[in-house]
Amino acid sequence: MVFSSFTFLIFFLPFTLIILYALPHKYRNVFLLIMSLIFYMWSSPQYLLVMIGVIIINYFAGIYIDKYDAVGGGHGQKLKKQVLIAGIIINVAVLFIFKYLTFTLRSVNEFISMLGFNTFTFMNIVLPVGISFYIFQSISYLVDIYRKDAPVQKSIQNLALYISMFPQLVAGPIVRYNSIAQDIERERHIPFEVFILGAKIFILGLAKKVLIANQMAVIADTMFAQNAAYITAVNAWIGAVAYTFQIYFDFSGYSDMAIGLGLMIGFKFPVNFNYPYISYSITDFWRRWHISLSSWFRDYVYIPLGGNRVKVSRMYINLLIVFTITGIWHGANWTFLVWGLFHGLFLVIEKITGLNKTEKYKPARWIITMLIVIIAWVFFRADTIHDALNYIKAMFGFNKNAEELISSSMYLENAAYYVLMVIGLVGSTPLIKRYFLRNIDAFDTVYVNKATVLIQNIFMILLLVMVYIMLANNTYNPFIYFRF
């Protein structure tokens, strides 16, 4: 089940909200947990036991970390650390088995086949939806307890709710336990204006997904499906730019929907995107893109490795390690590894040259940053490194079959394409937010006059109608990050 499906919009969400508000506060967490498990079962019923197992393991690991911390002394601290390490290893092992084991065995098979030896057979393991997100949340829960940044959760029901909560379960944002621990424990009184704010944020996210991302996906999929040896540079760039917009509006749209749903049920989830395509450097891009993931790696990987407190050469190595893991986190494919290293390499270059700190040459720096981001997205989108390299060659006109190339007018003659690209360009900047939607933000309390609010409300209704029309006429509705 996805947020942009009729099943969710017409049945699951209204039913959940109606019953949730009708129930006494003491039963709301139980009901939310049940609905979250049903939501997950809809997508991956066979892997529900995996998530329940992860919840149980992390519950007892947290209990024992807290128990040994109370013991005090060197022995207690040693046992506390051992439990933490064991908990992290188990979480990573679960993630490895279900996400990377098949890829690892296939890569080993390819290697031994190159050496001339017989390959072996193995079972393909299907990736459980959302496992990367709920495993990372589980690890952060244990580390935060160990560091005393969060209290241990002694109710397994409440910990299960934190890990499985349906708005952010399958595609983030990565919510840290200490940011919603009080919301889980308290009676959540949701003012009407907060509910309406959440509904507006949800509708905006839904519109991003259905009206922009889905349409960009058709263009991107068409271009990337072509043989790169027979595609013009113009079409290659059209496909790459379309995918650049697709992945932003797809993932930021999902994050907006999650944040909106969170407000509607009494939780405040972190902002996950801050207009990354206006960045003047790759460093700035990663402050704005998938913020919950980049901050997770900063706090739980980069800083423990030494962060900026080590020798400069070691700091560069730390950055490359973090972005190697960032790439691998996104998927079991060499293309994701290259994507992560590509970003890590340019981050190191920026630190060496100081380009991430200068305020000069902003137009040129923005163009260079976007070129790097778009080229990197080609690796992210392609099935193999070979396919990505061939596509990039086509983008820069290095095809050897120029006389046989696919017509460059495939999309250039379609006026709707230009409109869609303009909407994507404007929507990926803060212009609309700044001048029209200033108060539609979970962390913004800017006063807007009644006339503007009325226009906004009409606009939201129109967006929702357009979304329903598009959903009724189009079955193409995947979420990119569901496979991560």
Side-chain angles (χ1 to χ4, degrees):
M1 190 190 313
V2 296
F3 292 164
S4 53
S5 67
F6 279 127
T7 303
F8 182 83
L9 294 171
I10 296 177
F11 299 106
F12 185 90
L13 181 58
F15 174 79
T16 301
L17 292 176
I18 290 170
I19 302 301
L20 182 69
Y21 281 105
L23 285 172
H25 287 283
K26 63 180 179 179
Y27 298 121
R28 289 186 178 182
N29 281 358
V30 176
F31 176 72
L32 271 180
L33 174 59
I34 292 171
M35 296 308 295
S36 295
L37 296 178
I38 291 173
F39 179 87
Y40 190 74
M41 286 176 63
W42 207 276
S43 301
S44 298
Q46 69 274 35
Y47 289 118
L48 179 62
L49 290 177
V50 175
M51 187 172 67
I52 291 174
V54 168
I55 290 168
I56 293 171
I57 289 167
N58 284 283
Y59 171 74
F60 284 106
I63 291 293
Y64 278 99
I65 289 173
D66 182 66
K67 175 183 176 181
Y68 291 135
D69 182 63
V71 171
H75 183 62
Q77 293 305 306
K78 182 180 179 181
L79 290 173
K80 173 185 170 184
K81 188 173 184 178
Q82 288 175 347
V83 174
L84 172 67
I85 293 172
I88 292 174
I89 290 173
I90 292 171
N91 278 297
V92 172
V94 170
L95 184 60
F96 176 82
I97 290 169
F98 287 98
K99 189 167 184 175
Y100 303 105
L101 182 58
T102 297
F103 169 74
T104 302
L105 294 176
R106 186 183 299 119
S107 298
V108 171
N109 253 351
E110 291 173 356
F111 179 71
I112 62 177
S113 177
M114 288 172 54
L115 297 177
F117 295 104
N118 293 329
T119 59
F120 53 87
T121 59
F122 57 89
M123 180 180 67
N124 285 324
I125 301 174
V126 178
L127 177 68
V129 171
I131 191 169
S132 299
F133 290 94
Y134 71 73
I135 287 292
F136 267 35
Q137 290 194 176
S138 299
I139 291 173
S140 69
Y141 167 71
L142 296 183
V143 174
D144 285 350
I145 294 172
Y146 179 83
R147 294 175 176 174
K148 299 182 181 180
D149 290 336
V152 67
Q153 178 52 258
K154 295 184 178 180
S155 165
I156 192 169
Q157 168 199 302
N158 286 347
L159 181 65
L161 176 61
Y162 160 66
I163 292 175
S164 69
M165 198 180 304
F166 77 87
Q168 46 78 52
L169 171 60
V170 294
I174 300 172
V175 179
R176 302 191 195 184
Y177 178 71
N178 61 8
S179 68
I180 64 169
Q182 292 184 351
D183 289 336
I184 290 176
E185 297 289 349
R186 70 180 176 86
E187 290 189 357
R188 295 181 298 277
H189 298 278
I190 306 162
F192 179 73
E193 58 271 19
V194 172
F195 179 88
I196 294 299
L197 174 62
K200 289 181 178 180
I201 294 173
F202 177 83
I203 291 171
L204 283 175
L206 185 63
K208 280 184 180 181
K209 165 61 184 165
V210 175
L211 302 182
I212 303 179
N214 284 3
Q215 314 316 311
M216 291 292 184
V218 175
I219 300 171
D221 288 352
T222 300
M223 295 305 184
F224 276 91
Q226 308 300 324
N227 185 334
Y230 298 94
I231 186 172
T232 64
V234 172
N235 276 342
W237 276 103
I238 286 173
V241 171
Y243 184 72
T244 298
F245 284 133
Q246 178 199 352
I247 194 167
Y248 169 67
F249 286 104
D250 184 282
F251 194 21
S252 70
Y254 188 97
S255 294
D256 287 347
M257 284 186 270
I259 291 169
L261 288 170
L263 289 174
M264 292 161 73
I265 63 175
F267 293 90
K268 201 169 188 179
F269 298 149
V271 171
N272 212 21
F273 289 87
N274 184 23
Y275 304 104
Y277 292 161
I278 66 170
S279 303
Y280 295 107
S281 67
I282 298 300
T283 303
D284 190 33
F285 175 83
W286 279 100
R287 293 192 188 107
R288 297 172 175 272
W289 177 272
H290 203 342
I291 299 168
S292 65
L293 179 68
S294 56
S295 63
W296 193 98
F297 276 111
R298 179 197 65 208
D299 294 342
Y300 299 109
V301 180
Y302 183 65
I303 291 176
L305 284 173
N308 298 332
R309 305 184 307 277
V310 294
K311 292 191 301 183
V312 174
S313 59
R314 178 63 191 179
M315 180 185 68
Y316 298 152
I317 293 172
N318 290 346
L319 278 172
L320 291 175
I321 290 172
V322 167
F323 275 88
T324 298
I325 301 172
T326 300
I328 294 172
W329 178 87
H330 280 85
N333 197 324
W334 296 112
T335 54
F336 296 115
L337 175 63
V338 172
W339 174 79
L341 282 172
F342 195 76
H343 276 274
L345 177 63
F346 279 100
L347 277 166
V348 170
I349 291 172
E350 286 180 356
K351 287 192 175 294
I352 291 173
T353 59
L355 287 175
N356 59 313
K357 295 180 180 179
T358 182
E359 291 295 319
K360 298 179 180 178
Y361 319 116
K362 280 191 172 182
R365 287 169 54 217
W366 176 78
I367 292 172
I368 292 170
T369 299
M370 287 310 301
L371 280 173
I372 294 168
V373 169
I374 292 170
I375 292 170
W377 283 138
V378 174
F379 285 101
F380 199 91
R381 174 61 177 77
D383 294 326
T384 67
I385 295 174
H386 182 262
D387 290 344
L389 292 174
N390 282 341
Y391 195 93
I392 292 168
K393 285 170 61 178
M395 289 169 66
F396 291 95
F398 294 116
N399 303 76
K400 296 181 180 180
N401 305 286
E403 69 283 358
E404 302 177 42
L405 294 177
I406 297 169
S407 170
S408 63
S409 63
M410 181 181 290
Y411 279 100
L412 294 178
E413 294 177 356
N414 190 340
Y417 169 75
Y418 291 103
V419 174
L420 188 61
M421 280 293 182
V422 170
I423 291 172
L425 182 63
V426 174
S428 57
T429 72
L431 290 174
I432 296 175
K433 171 69 169 40
R434 183 176 298 164
Y435 296 107
F436 182 56
L437 304 175
R438 293 181 66 197
N439 64 323
I440 304 179
D441 190 314
F443 298 89
D444 193 348
T445 57
V446 175
Y447 174 75
V448 178
N449 63 56
K450 292 182 179 180
T452 301
V453 171
L454 177 61
I455 294 172
Q456 287 178 357
N457 291 341
I458 295 172
F459 177 67
M460 291 296 163
I461 293 171
L462 291 175
L463 278 182
L464 196 56
V465 170
M466 291 171 65
V467 164
Y468 275 85
I469 292 172
M470 290 298 295
L471 289 177
N473 290 288
N474 189 358
T475 57
Y476 187 81
N477 193 31
F479 267 115
I480 292 177
Y481 266 71
F482 266 28
R483 61 194 177 103
F484 305 139

